[in-house]
Amino acid sequence: MNPNRFDGRVALVTGAARGIGARIAATLAERGATVAGADIADDWTHEPAGAAHSRHRVDVRSAGSCQDLVAEVLDRHGRLDLLVNNAGIVRRGPAATMSERDFTTVLDVNLTGTFRMCQAAYPALRAARGAVVNLGSTNGHIAVLDTVGYCVSKAGVLHLTRVLALEWAADQVRVNAVGPTIVPTDMTTDVRGDAAYLADKLATIPLGRMAEPTDVANAVAYLLSDAAAMVTGQTIFVDGGVTIH
Ligand SMILES: NC(=O)c1ccc[n+]([C@@H]2O[C@H](COP(=O)([O-])OP(=O)(O)OC[C@H]3O[C@@H](n4cnc5c(N)ncnc54)[C@H](O)[C@@H]3O)[C@@H](O)[C@H]2O)c1
C-alpha cells in the first residue's frame, strides 16, 4: 500500500470553500480520500469533484455546530480518519488600538475553534487511529506587526497541537501542524495590494516567493499520511526559510 495515499479513508477539512482549505480538500481527494468539506460560507469557489465527497456548513465558534458537523460526516460516510483544522480569520491593526472584540474574535475562530473541532472529532478519530493537522502560521512562531490577535491565536494552535499530540498518543491519534508564510488567498488580498508591504514581506523569505496553496496542501497531506506514521506534535513551516533567521 502506497503510504502517501488515503484510499478508504474519510477526511474532514474546515474552511474548505476557498483558499488553502479548498486546495487541501482537492489534494486529499486526488490521493484517494473521501473528503467532507465544511465552511461557514455558502459561496464555494472550489471543491473536489465527484459524488463521494460532501459539503457541510459549520461555524467553528460553536461547539454544537462542530458536534453536529462530525455527526453529519459519520452519518454520511460511516467513519472519520483525518481532520484538517483550516478555518481561520485575521484582523489587522496596531495592538495599542485593536478592539477587544477583534482580538477575542480571532482567538475564538482560530484557536478555540480548532480545540472545539478536535474535541468533537476525537471519539471518531480514536476509533480510526486517525490524524489531525492544524493550520498554524509563521506568525505563531515569530512576532509580526499589526496582527496581535492572529499571532497569539496561531502560537496557541502550535502549542495546542503539542498538548493534544501528547494526550492522544496512547490512542495512536497523531496531531501535527503546518506553519505557512504568506499565501495568495482572499485572506491576504489587502496586504498584497500594498506594494511596499509585499516587497518587505518577500525580503524576509529566503526562497524569495510566497507559498502557494499547493505547497501547504502537500505538507498537510504528508503529515496526515502513513509516510508520517512516527511524526506527532510537530510543526512543518512551509515558509521558504522565514523562521530560520
Ligand atoms: N493566506 C495566508 O497568508 C496564510 C498564512 C498562514 C496561515 N494561513 C492559515 O491558513 C488557513 C486558511 O487561510 P486562507 O488563506 O485560505 O483564508 P481564506 O480567508 O481564503 O479562507 C478561510 C476560510 O475559513 C472560513 N471560515 C472563517 N470563519 C469560519 C468559521 N467561524 N467557521 C467555519 N469556517 C470559517 C471562511 O469562510 C473561508 O472559506 C487559516 O487558518 C489561515 O490562518 C493563511
Side-chain angles (χ1 to χ4, degrees):
M1 174 100 175
N2 181 339
N4 299 303
R5 289 200 52 93
F6 301 106
D7 303 278
R9 297 194 197 162
V10 176
L12 171 55
V13 182
T14 67
R18 59 192 166 124
I20 296 169
R23 188 58 242 167
I24 292 169
T27 297
L28 299 180
E30 286 157 15
R31 298 188 192 189
T34 297
V35 179
D39 207 291
I40 196 172
D42 295 323
D43 55 325
W44 288 56
T45 58
H46 295 91
E47 59 191 308
H53 309 297
S54 59
R55 181 203 281 199
H56 307 262
R57 191 176 184 286
V58 70
D59 181 351
V60 300
R61 292 171 299 181
S62 154
S65 180
C66 295
Q67 287 155 6
D68 289 348
L69 169 62
V70 171
E72 267 180 44
V73 171
L74 292 174
D75 193 42
R76 168 75 192 262
H77 299 293
R79 58 186 296 145
L80 175 58
D81 302 88
L82 311 169
L83 172 64
V84 182
N85 289 303
N86 166 81
I89 59 170
V90 67
R91 296 284 184 272
R92 300 185 198 278
T97 53
M98 179 169 287
S99 69
E100 180 182 331
R101 186 184 173 85
D102 276 355
F103 185 85
T104 56
T105 300
V106 171
L107 282 167
D108 196 17
V109 175
N110 295 3
L111 177 56
T112 319
T114 298
F115 175 67
R116 290 185 189 103
M117 280 304 309
C118 285
Q119 257 195 345
Y122 171 64
L125 293 171
R126 184 180 54 193
R129 297 183 160 220
V132 179
V133 172
N134 299 322
L135 266 288
S137 168
T138 48
N139 293 35
H141 184 70
I142 56 174
V144 176
L145 294 173
D146 292 335
T147 49
V148 61
Y150 186 80
C151 287
V152 170
S153 75
K154 293 299 186 179
V157 166
L158 300 190
H159 207 50
L160 174 68
T161 298
R162 297 180 194 105
V163 175
L164 294 183
L166 181 63
E167 290 206 16
W168 295 353
D171 301 313
Q172 300 299 316
V173 174
R174 298 182 300 105
V175 186
N176 289 291
V178 294
T181 184
I182 187 169
V183 184
T185 64
D186 291 354
M187 181 177 276
T188 55
T189 302
D190 53 349
V191 287
R192 284 183 292 113
D194 178 341
Y197 176 96
L198 190 57
D200 284 353
K201 194 71 168 178
L202 289 173
T204 70
I205 306 173
L207 288 182
R209 66 167 176 88
M210 290 183 271
E212 294 298 326
T214 298
D215 295 315
V216 182
N218 286 339
V220 170
Y222 163 69
L223 288 168
L224 290 175
S225 76
D226 290 345
M230 194 58 180
V231 181
T232 197
Q234 304 303 307
T235 299
I236 294 181
F237 287 102
V238 184
D239 69 352
V242 170
T243 50
I244 58 180
H245 72 127

